[in-house]
mmCIF file of all heavy atoms in Angstrom:
data_model
loop_
_atom_site.group_PDB
_atom_site.id
_atom_site.type_symbol
_atom_site.label_atom_id
_atom_site.label_comp_id
_atom_site.label_asym_id
_atom_site.label_seq_id
_atom_site.Cartn_x
_atom_site.Cartn_y
_atom_site.Cartn_z
ATOM 1 N N MET A 42 -80.817 -161.041 30.128
ATOM 2 C CA MET A 42 -81.171 -159.625 30.307
ATOM 3 C C MET A 42 -80.105 -158.732 29.676
ATOM 4 O O MET A 42 -80.411 -157.711 29.092
ATOM 5 C CB MET A 42 -81.314 -159.307 31.798
ATOM 6 C CG MET A 42 -81.683 -157.878 32.073
ATOM 7 S SD MET A 42 -83.327 -157.480 31.437
ATOM 8 C CE MET A 42 -83.273 -155.712 31.462
ATOM 9 N N PHE A 43 -78.847 -159.134 29.805
ATOM 10 C CA PHE A 43 -77.737 -158.379 29.247
ATOM 11 C C PHE A 43 -76.971 -159.257 28.270
ATOM 12 O O PHE A 43 -76.705 -160.425 28.554
ATOM 13 C CB PHE A 43 -76.786 -157.915 30.356
ATOM 14 C CG PHE A 43 -77.442 -157.055 31.385
ATOM 15 C CD1 PHE A 43 -77.761 -157.567 32.631
ATOM 16 C CD2 PHE A 43 -77.755 -155.730 31.111
ATOM 17 C CE1 PHE A 43 -78.364 -156.771 33.591
ATOM 18 C CE2 PHE A 43 -78.362 -154.935 32.070
ATOM 19 C CZ PHE A 43 -78.671 -155.456 33.305
ATOM 20 N N ILE A 44 -76.611 -158.680 27.121
ATOM 21 C CA ILE A 44 -75.890 -159.429 26.090
ATOM 22 C C ILE A 44 -74.634 -158.668 25.703
ATOM 23 O O ILE A 44 -74.680 -157.463 25.470
ATOM 24 C CB ILE A 44 -76.758 -159.611 24.828
ATOM 25 C CG1 ILE A 44 -78.077 -160.292 25.169
ATOM 26 C CG2 ILE A 44 -76.005 -160.397 23.762
ATOM 27 C CD1 ILE A 44 -79.100 -160.201 24.061
ATOM 28 N N SER A 45 -73.535 -159.396 25.653
ATOM 29 C CA SER A 45 -72.289 -158.870 25.104
ATOM 30 C C SER A 45 -71.977 -159.739 23.893
ATOM 31 O O SER A 45 -71.611 -160.911 24.020
ATOM 32 C CB SER A 45 -71.163 -158.949 26.139
ATOM 33 O OG SER A 45 -69.960 -158.506 25.576
ATOM 34 N N TRP A 46 -72.165 -159.172 22.703
ATOM 35 C CA TRP A 46 -72.020 -159.939 21.467
ATOM 36 C C TRP A 46 -70.561 -160.290 21.218
ATOM 37 O O TRP A 46 -69.665 -159.571 21.645
ATOM 38 C CB TRP A 46 -72.571 -159.142 20.291
ATOM 39 C CG TRP A 46 -74.033 -158.864 20.416
ATOM 40 C CD1 TRP A 46 -74.608 -157.702 20.820
ATOM 41 C CD2 TRP A 46 -75.098 -159.779 20.183
ATOM 42 N NE1 TRP A 46 -75.978 -157.820 20.843
ATOM 43 C CE2 TRP A 46 -76.302 -159.089 20.449
ATOM 44 C CE3 TRP A 46 -75.164 -161.105 19.777
ATOM 45 C CZ2 TRP A 46 -77.557 -159.690 20.319
ATOM 46 C CZ3 TRP A 46 -76.414 -161.701 19.639
ATOM 47 C CH2 TRP A 46 -77.587 -161.001 19.906
ATOM 48 N N PRO A 47 -70.315 -161.417 20.499
ATOM 49 C CA PRO A 47 -68.932 -161.780 20.155
ATOM 50 C C PRO A 47 -68.276 -160.683 19.318
ATOM 51 O O PRO A 47 -68.940 -160.023 18.520
ATOM 52 C CB PRO A 47 -69.088 -163.051 19.315
ATOM 53 C CG PRO A 47 -70.468 -163.549 19.550
ATOM 54 C CD PRO A 47 -71.289 -162.367 19.958
ATOM 55 N N THR A 48 -66.993 -160.495 19.545
ATOM 56 C CA THR A 48 -66.245 -159.523 18.765
ATOM 57 C C THR A 48 -64.949 -160.167 18.284
ATOM 58 O O THR A 48 -64.427 -161.064 18.939
ATOM 59 C CB THR A 48 -65.949 -158.241 19.580
ATOM 60 O OG1 THR A 48 -65.194 -157.355 18.779
ATOM 61 C CG2 THR A 48 -65.195 -158.536 20.855
ATOM 62 N N ASN A 49 -64.464 -159.743 17.155
ATOM 63 C CA ASN A 49 -63.225 -160.305 16.612
ATOM 64 C C ASN A 49 -61.981 -159.666 17.206
ATOM 65 O O ASN A 49 -60.888 -160.165 17.046
ATOM 66 C CB ASN A 49 -63.194 -160.136 15.081
ATOM 67 C CG ASN A 49 -64.196 -161.061 14.425
ATOM 68 O OD1 ASN A 49 -64.470 -162.145 14.913
ATOM 69 N ND2 ASN A 49 -64.764 -160.615 13.321
ATOM 70 N N ARG A 50 -62.151 -158.546 17.908
ATOM 71 C CA ARG A 50 -60.999 -157.839 18.462
ATOM 72 C C ARG A 50 -60.683 -158.341 19.855
ATOM 73 O O ARG A 50 -61.555 -158.417 20.712
ATOM 74 C CB ARG A 50 -61.279 -156.341 18.485
ATOM 75 C CG ARG A 50 -61.234 -155.763 17.073
ATOM 76 C CD ARG A 50 -61.744 -154.349 17.054
ATOM 77 N NE ARG A 50 -63.011 -154.413 16.319
ATOM 78 C CZ ARG A 50 -64.101 -153.755 16.623
ATOM 79 N NH1 ARG A 50 -64.126 -152.939 17.619
ATOM 80 N NH2 ARG A 50 -65.194 -153.891 15.905
ATOM 81 N N THR A 51 -59.433 -158.690 20.103
ATOM 82 C CA THR A 51 -59.017 -159.129 21.426
ATOM 83 C C THR A 51 -58.671 -157.914 22.281
ATOM 84 O O THR A 51 -58.239 -156.890 21.770
ATOM 85 C CB THR A 51 -57.799 -160.075 21.343
ATOM 86 O OG1 THR A 51 -56.759 -159.401 20.645
ATOM 87 C CG2 THR A 51 -58.143 -161.367 20.668
ATOM 88 N N GLY A 52 -58.876 -158.045 23.571
ATOM 89 C CA GLY A 52 -58.559 -156.982 24.492
ATOM 90 C C GLY A 52 -59.546 -155.833 24.503
ATOM 91 O O GLY A 52 -59.377 -154.863 25.233
ATOM 92 N N GLU A 53 -60.589 -155.925 23.714
ATOM 93 C CA GLU A 53 -61.593 -154.860 23.659
ATOM 94 C C GLU A 53 -62.490 -154.941 24.889
ATOM 95 O O GLU A 53 -62.860 -156.023 25.334
ATOM 96 C CB GLU A 53 -62.438 -155.032 22.394
ATOM 97 C CG GLU A 53 -63.482 -153.955 22.214
ATOM 98 C CD GLU A 53 -64.289 -154.159 20.942
ATOM 99 O OE1 GLU A 53 -63.708 -154.601 19.939
ATOM 100 O OE2 GLU A 53 -65.492 -153.890 20.970
ATOM 101 N N ARG A 54 -62.827 -153.795 25.438
ATOM 102 C CA ARG A 54 -63.725 -153.753 26.587
ATOM 103 C C ARG A 54 -65.118 -154.203 26.145
ATOM 104 O O ARG A 54 -65.600 -153.820 25.086
ATOM 105 C CB ARG A 54 -63.787 -152.337 27.137
ATOM 106 C CG ARG A 54 -64.567 -152.283 28.422
ATOM 107 C CD ARG A 54 -64.320 -150.989 29.157
ATOM 108 N NE ARG A 54 -65.048 -151.061 30.394
ATOM 109 C CZ ARG A 54 -65.827 -150.106 30.848
ATOM 110 N NH1 ARG A 54 -65.914 -148.974 30.191
ATOM 111 N NH2 ARG A 54 -66.477 -150.257 31.966
ATOM 112 N N ARG A 55 -65.773 -155.005 26.953
ATOM 113 C CA ARG A 55 -67.083 -155.553 26.605
ATOM 114 C C ARG A 55 -68.160 -154.477 26.631
ATOM 115 O O ARG A 55 -68.224 -153.663 27.538
ATOM 116 C CB ARG A 55 -67.469 -156.667 27.561
ATOM 117 C CG ARG A 55 -66.648 -157.907 27.300
ATOM 118 C CD ARG A 55 -67.447 -159.149 27.629
ATOM 119 N NE ARG A 55 -66.727 -160.299 27.105
ATOM 120 C CZ ARG A 55 -67.070 -160.929 26.005
ATOM 121 N NH1 ARG A 55 -68.111 -160.549 25.320
ATOM 122 N NH2 ARG A 55 -66.383 -161.962 25.588
ATOM 123 N N HIS A 56 -68.997 -154.510 25.618
ATOM 124 C CA HIS A 56 -70.162 -153.629 25.545
ATOM 125 C C HIS A 56 -71.391 -154.501 25.817
ATOM 126 O O HIS A 56 -71.544 -155.564 25.220
ATOM 127 C CB HIS A 56 -70.254 -152.985 24.156
ATOM 128 C CG HIS A 56 -71.535 -152.247 23.948
ATOM 129 N ND1 HIS A 56 -71.802 -151.048 24.566
ATOM 130 C CD2 HIS A 56 -72.633 -152.560 23.222
ATOM 131 C CE1 HIS A 56 -73.021 -150.650 24.216
ATOM 132 N NE2 HIS A 56 -73.540 -151.545 23.404
ATOM 133 N N TRP A 57 -72.255 -154.060 26.718
ATOM 134 C CA TRP A 57 -73.448 -154.822 27.087
ATOM 135 C C TRP A 57 -74.701 -154.111 26.589
ATOM 136 O O TRP A 57 -74.827 -152.903 26.716
ATOM 137 C CB TRP A 57 -73.532 -154.987 28.601
ATOM 138 C CG TRP A 57 -72.444 -155.838 29.168
ATOM 139 C CD1 TRP A 57 -71.230 -155.407 29.624
ATOM 140 C CD2 TRP A 57 -72.452 -157.248 29.335
ATOM 141 N NE1 TRP A 57 -70.487 -156.470 30.067
ATOM 142 C CE2 TRP A 57 -71.216 -157.622 29.908
ATOM 143 C CE3 TRP A 57 -73.384 -158.252 29.061
ATOM 144 C CZ2 TRP A 57 -70.884 -158.936 30.215
ATOM 145 C CZ3 TRP A 57 -73.061 -159.568 29.365
ATOM 146 C CH2 TRP A 57 -71.829 -159.900 29.935
ATOM 147 N N GLU A 58 -75.623 -154.886 26.042
ATOM 148 C CA GLU A 58 -76.941 -154.401 25.627
ATOM 149 C C GLU A 58 -77.993 -155.010 26.541
ATOM 150 O O GLU A 58 -77.822 -156.121 27.036
ATOM 151 C CB GLU A 58 -77.276 -154.878 24.208
ATOM 152 C CG GLU A 58 -76.545 -154.215 23.107
ATOM 153 C CD GLU A 58 -76.963 -154.795 21.749
ATOM 154 O OE1 GLU A 58 -78.069 -155.373 21.636
ATOM 155 O OE2 GLU A 58 -76.162 -154.672 20.820
ATOM 156 N N ASN A 59 -79.114 -154.308 26.705
ATOM 157 C CA ASN A 59 -80.257 -154.846 27.449
ATOM 158 C C ASN A 59 -81.175 -155.578 26.489
ATOM 159 O O ASN A 59 -81.473 -155.068 25.411
ATOM 160 C CB ASN A 59 -81.061 -153.725 28.104
ATOM 161 C CG ASN A 59 -80.307 -153.041 29.206
ATOM 162 O OD1 ASN A 59 -79.217 -153.448 29.582
ATOM 163 N ND2 ASN A 59 -80.878 -151.984 29.719
ATOM 164 N N LEU A 60 -81.632 -156.745 26.896
ATOM 165 C CA LEU A 60 -82.595 -157.493 26.088
ATOM 166 C C LEU A 60 -83.970 -156.832 26.159
ATOM 167 O O LEU A 60 -84.672 -156.734 25.171
ATOM 168 C CB LEU A 60 -82.680 -158.943 26.577
ATOM 169 C CG LEU A 60 -83.675 -159.848 25.884
ATOM 170 C CD1 LEU A 60 -83.251 -160.094 24.446
ATOM 171 C CD2 LEU A 60 -83.804 -161.164 26.617
ATOM 172 N N VAL A 61 -84.325 -156.391 27.352
ATOM 173 C CA VAL A 61 -85.625 -155.772 27.601
ATOM 174 C C VAL A 61 -85.368 -154.376 28.163
ATOM 175 O O VAL A 61 -84.523 -154.220 29.044
ATOM 176 C CB VAL A 61 -86.429 -156.606 28.625
ATOM 177 C CG1 VAL A 61 -87.701 -155.913 29.030
ATOM 178 C CG2 VAL A 61 -86.726 -157.995 28.083
ATOM 179 N N PRO A 62 -86.071 -153.371 27.672
ATOM 180 C CA PRO A 62 -85.871 -152.026 28.224
ATOM 181 C C PRO A 62 -86.151 -151.997 29.730
ATOM 182 O O PRO A 62 -87.108 -152.615 30.201
ATOM 183 C CB PRO A 62 -86.884 -151.161 27.484
ATOM 184 C CG PRO A 62 -87.313 -151.964 26.308
ATOM 185 C CD PRO A 62 -87.079 -153.402 26.634
ATOM 186 N N ILE A 63 -85.304 -151.302 30.453
ATOM 187 C CA ILE A 63 -85.492 -151.189 31.899
ATOM 188 C C ILE A 63 -86.499 -150.068 32.142
ATOM 189 O O ILE A 63 -86.264 -148.927 31.783
ATOM 190 C CB ILE A 63 -84.164 -150.896 32.607
ATOM 191 C CG1 ILE A 63 -83.174 -152.028 32.340
ATOM 192 C CG2 ILE A 63 -84.386 -150.709 34.095
ATOM 193 C CD1 ILE A 63 -81.763 -151.725 32.765
ATOM 194 N N THR A 64 -87.624 -150.442 32.748
ATOM 195 C CA THR A 64 -88.680 -149.462 32.995
ATOM 196 C C THR A 64 -88.817 -149.247 34.495
ATOM 197 O O THR A 64 -87.829 -149.063 35.183
ATOM 198 C CB THR A 64 -90.007 -149.931 32.367
ATOM 199 O OG1 THR A 64 -90.320 -151.229 32.890
ATOM 200 C CG2 THR A 64 -89.908 -150.020 30.858
ATOM 201 N N ASP A 65 -89.986 -149.317 34.996
ATOM 202 C CA ASP A 65 -90.284 -149.087 36.407
ATOM 203 C C ASP A 65 -89.611 -150.155 37.275
ATOM 204 O O ASP A 65 -89.813 -151.347 37.078
ATOM 205 C CB ASP A 65 -91.805 -149.130 36.583
ATOM 206 C CG ASP A 65 -92.238 -148.850 37.999
ATOM 207 O OD1 ASP A 65 -91.393 -148.446 38.822
ATOM 208 O OD2 ASP A 65 -93.438 -149.031 38.280
ATOM 209 N N ARG A 66 -88.807 -149.708 38.239
ATOM 210 C CA ARG A 66 -88.121 -150.635 39.144
ATOM 211 C C ARG A 66 -88.649 -150.564 40.570
ATOM 212 O O ARG A 66 -88.026 -151.108 41.476
ATOM 213 C CB ARG A 66 -86.628 -150.363 39.115
ATOM 214 C CG ARG A 66 -86.012 -150.672 37.766
ATOM 215 C CD ARG A 66 -84.568 -150.301 37.731
ATOM 216 N NE ARG A 66 -83.816 -150.987 38.761
ATOM 217 C CZ ARG A 66 -82.693 -151.635 38.564
ATOM 218 N NH1 ARG A 66 -82.168 -151.674 37.381
ATOM 219 N NH2 ARG A 66 -82.068 -152.233 39.554
ATOM 220 N N THR A 67 -89.787 -149.918 40.781
ATOM 221 C CA THR A 67 -90.323 -149.800 42.139
ATOM 222 C C THR A 67 -90.769 -151.149 42.698
ATOM 223 O O THR A 67 -90.885 -151.300 43.915
ATOM 224 C CB THR A 67 -91.503 -148.805 42.199
ATOM 225 O OG1 THR A 67 -92.488 -149.210 41.260
ATOM 226 C CG2 THR A 67 -91.052 -147.394 41.898
ATOM 227 N N TRP A 68 -90.976 -152.114 41.835
ATOM 228 C CA TRP A 68 -91.369 -153.452 42.278
ATOM 229 C C TRP A 68 -90.293 -154.088 43.155
ATOM 230 O O TRP A 68 -90.602 -154.927 44.007
ATOM 231 C CB TRP A 68 -91.667 -154.358 41.083
ATOM 232 C CG TRP A 68 -90.507 -154.560 40.151
ATOM 233 C CD1 TRP A 68 -90.223 -153.836 39.031
ATOM 234 C CD2 TRP A 68 -89.464 -155.535 40.261
ATOM 235 N NE1 TRP A 68 -89.076 -154.300 38.433
ATOM 236 C CE2 TRP A 68 -88.586 -155.345 39.176
ATOM 237 C CE3 TRP A 68 -89.178 -156.548 41.178
ATOM 238 C CZ2 TRP A 68 -87.454 -156.125 38.981
ATOM 239 C CZ3 TRP A 68 -88.049 -157.331 40.981
ATOM 240 C CH2 TRP A 68 -87.210 -157.118 39.890
ATOM 241 N N ARG A 69 -89.031 -153.693 42.971
ATOM 242 C CA ARG A 69 -87.926 -154.317 43.711
ATOM 243 C C ARG A 69 -88.061 -154.136 45.224
ATOM 244 O O ARG A 69 -87.883 -155.082 45.988
ATOM 245 C CB ARG A 69 -86.587 -153.778 43.233
ATOM 246 C CG ARG A 69 -86.225 -154.213 41.832
ATOM 247 C CD ARG A 69 -84.958 -153.538 41.358
ATOM 248 N NE ARG A 69 -83.785 -153.976 42.075
ATOM 249 C CZ ARG A 69 -83.080 -155.070 41.769
ATOM 250 N NH1 ARG A 69 -83.436 -155.810 40.752
ATOM 251 N NH2 ARG A 69 -82.027 -155.393 42.475
ATOM 252 N N SER A 70 -88.362 -152.929 45.657
ATOM 253 C CA SER A 70 -88.470 -152.680 47.099
ATOM 254 C C SER A 70 -89.669 -153.419 47.688
ATOM 255 O O SER A 70 -89.601 -153.919 48.815
ATOM 256 C CB SER A 70 -88.540 -151.183 47.401
ATOM 257 O OG SER A 70 -89.651 -150.603 46.766
ATOM 258 N N ILE A 71 -90.742 -153.530 46.923
ATOM 259 C CA ILE A 71 -91.917 -154.276 47.380
ATOM 260 C C ILE A 71 -91.560 -155.756 47.518
ATOM 261 O O ILE A 71 -91.839 -156.389 48.542
ATOM 262 C CB ILE A 71 -93.110 -154.080 46.415
ATOM 263 C CG1 ILE A 71 -93.520 -152.609 46.377
ATOM 264 C CG2 ILE A 71 -94.288 -154.973 46.805
ATOM 265 C CD1 ILE A 71 -94.456 -152.253 45.234
ATOM 266 N N ALA A 72 -90.924 -156.314 46.491
ATOM 267 C CA ALA A 72 -90.535 -157.724 46.520
ATOM 268 C C ALA A 72 -89.557 -158.001 47.665
ATOM 269 O O ALA A 72 -89.695 -159.001 48.375
ATOM 270 C CB ALA A 72 -89.922 -158.127 45.180
ATOM 271 N N MET A 73 -88.591 -157.111 47.851
ATOM 272 C CA MET A 73 -87.611 -157.292 48.930
ATOM 273 C C MET A 73 -88.290 -157.296 50.297
ATOM 274 O O MET A 73 -87.975 -158.136 51.147
ATOM 275 C CB MET A 73 -86.548 -156.193 48.887
ATOM 276 C CG MET A 73 -85.525 -156.351 47.794
ATOM 277 S SD MET A 73 -84.426 -157.752 48.052
ATOM 278 C CE MET A 73 -83.502 -157.182 49.456
ATOM 279 N N SER A 74 -89.200 -156.366 50.522
ATOM 280 C CA SER A 74 -89.899 -156.285 51.816
ATOM 281 C C SER A 74 -90.668 -157.569 52.106
ATOM 282 O O SER A 74 -90.639 -158.083 53.228
ATOM 283 C CB SER A 74 -90.871 -155.105 51.826
ATOM 284 O OG SER A 74 -90.172 -153.905 51.696
ATOM 285 N N ILE A 75 -91.349 -158.068 51.098
ATOM 286 C CA ILE A 75 -92.121 -159.308 51.280
ATOM 287 C C ILE A 75 -91.179 -160.484 51.520
ATOM 288 O O ILE A 75 -91.389 -161.301 52.421
ATOM 289 C CB ILE A 75 -93.036 -159.553 50.063
ATOM 290 C CG1 ILE A 75 -94.105 -158.459 49.975
ATOM 291 C CG2 ILE A 75 -93.676 -160.933 50.129
ATOM 292 C CD1 ILE A 75 -94.886 -158.434 48.677
#
Side-chain angles (χ1 to χ4, degrees):
M42 180 65 196
F43 301 104
I44 304 166
S45 177
W46 297 101
T48 179
N49 289 328
R50 287 170 249 140
T51 56
E53 182 180 324
R54 187 165 183 228
R55 288 211 168 257
H56 171 72
W57 293 91
E58 287 179 22
N59 292 354
L60 178 67
V61 173
I63 300 169
T64 56
D65 182 9
R66 294 176 58 131
T67 55
W68 60 267
R69 291 174 68 85
S70 59
I71 298 167
M73 285 291 291
S74 297
I75 294 168

